[in-house]
Amino acid sequence: MSPLRILVVDDEDKIRQVISIYLKNEGYMVGEAMDGEEALKKYRSEPWDLIVLDVMMPKMDGISVCREIRKTSQIPIIMLTAKNEEVDRILGLEFGADDYMGKPFSPRELVARIKAVMRRMEAGSPAGEPVLNFPGMRMNLMTREVLLMDKPVTLTPREFELLSLLARNPGWSFTREQLLERVWGFDYYGDLRTVDTHINRLRDKLKVPGAPSYIGTVWGVGYKFEVKHEAE
């Protein structure tokens, strides 16, 4: 099995070098880019399994790069932000990032985050029926495809994992803590608003004329999967 390929994008040479050293020590193949334009060129010219992407960069910032990549690919993206401000994290998540880390950060923690993301990607579909059917919605857990009113819906890997967890347990109320643990993993240190941000993104993407709503809020608890028509 060939080693996983990771593209590290940051305008600071030392940061790229440190990340690359840690990743290579774990057996990954690593490519580097120093700005957003170079990142897109390398992304389009070579196959990658995951991208580590800085937010603040010259020529093209990381959020713009993330948004451009998400037009054609669901490759996992972990964003780095020097500001470590909530607005940066929310913008990154809104445009499809799967995780984020604030600078300064621990290279070991970054490696752990990368491993957690790749474990989820490699796990594939859970045991049992690979296709879930609901009124207006069809989910293929093996191919990770979602059809809504017979039209494909583009979800990031994290969005798909969140939706599939809820859909495999219809009617079950999950707390935000449970969703963080099950979808983001034990080694995730983000706050509970990360869940709310992803849920809101999912709801927006699942809003299709004629389709019911699928994600209900359980006040004081969290969220659950339920098929609810507007008239109900």
Side-chain angles (χ1 to χ4, degrees), residues 58-126:
K59 297 185 179 180
M60 179 182 285
D61 62 76
I63 291 174
S64 298
V65 173
C66 181
R67 180 169 48 191
E68 189 66 25
I69 289 174
R70 281 291 174 258
K71 292 179 180 178
T72 58
S73 172
Q74 302 307 311
I75 182 174
I77 297 175
I78 297 178
M79 301 199 75
L80 307 176
T81 170
K83 292 181 180 179
N84 199 22
E85 294 179 353
E86 181 180 5
V87 64
D88 297 305
R89 298 195 298 269
I90 291 177
L91 279 175
L93 294 172
E94 287 288 348
F95 288 113
D98 297 281
D99 204 347
Y100 64 85
M101 290 190 66
K103 295 181 179 179
F105 60 89
S106 163
R108 290 183 179 178
E109 181 184 346
L110 176 59
V111 170
R113 299 277 189 97
I114 290 172
K115 287 182 176 180
V117 170
M118 300 314 300
R119 280 196 302 269
R120 289 191 293 270
M121 296 295 293
E122 292 168 0
S125 62

Side-chain angles (χ1 to χ4, degrees), residues 120-136:
R120 289 191 293 270
M121 296 295 293
E122 292 168 0
S125 62
E129 178 60 46
V131 177
L132 301 178
N133 288 290
F134 302 97

Side-chain angles (χ1 to χ4, degrees), residues 4-158:
L4 296 177
R5 296 171 52 86
I6 298 177
L7 179 61
V8 178
V9 186
D10 198 296
D11 61 325
E12 296 185 46
D13 294 340
K14 289 184 178 179
I15 291 180
R16 291 199 316 274
Q17 292 168 6
V18 169
I19 294 175
S20 296
I21 290 172
Y22 272 81
L23 293 179
K24 288 176 180 177
N25 286 341
E26 293 292 331
Y28 298 115
M29 292 187 65
V30 182
E32 297 182 19
M34 65 175 59
D35 58 57
E37 290 184 358
E38 185 182 8
L40 283 179
K41 288 180 181 178
K42 289 198 173 183
Y43 158 72
R44 289 165 175 161
S45 63
E46 302 177 56
W48 303 100
D49 296 294
L50 183 143
I51 299 176
V52 177
L53 182 62
D54 186 30
V55 171
M56 300 299 293
M57 294 185 298
K59 297 185 179 180
M60 179 182 285
D61 62 76
I63 291 174
S64 298
V65 173
C66 181
R67 180 169 48 191
E68 189 66 25
I69 289 174
R70 281 291 174 258
K71 292 179 180 178
T72 58
S73 172
Q74 302 307 311
I75 182 174
I77 297 175
I78 297 178
M79 301 199 75
L80 307 176
T81 170
K83 292 181 180 179
N84 199 22
E85 294 179 353
E86 181 180 5
V87 64
D88 297 305
R89 298 195 298 269
I90 291 177
L91 279 175
L93 294 172
E94 287 288 348
F95 288 113
D98 297 281
D99 204 347
Y100 64 85
M101 290 190 66
K103 295 181 179 179
F105 60 89
S106 163
R108 290 183 179 178
E109 181 184 346
L110 176 59
V111 170
R113 299 277 189 97
I114 290 172
K115 287 182 176 180
V117 170
M118 300 314 300
R119 280 196 302 269
R120 289 191 293 270
M121 296 295 293
E122 292 168 0
S125 62
E129 178 60 46
V131 177
L132 301 178
N133 288 290
F134 302 97
M137 179 190 289
R138 178 181 175 87
M139 294 185 66
N140 189 314
L141 302 178
M142 185 170 293
T143 62
R144 302 175 73 87
E145 295 175 322
V146 177
L147 294 178
L148 200 60
M149 305 303 287
D150 295 323
K151 295 183 179 180
V153 178
T154 301
L155 301 179
T156 67
R158 189 84 71 180

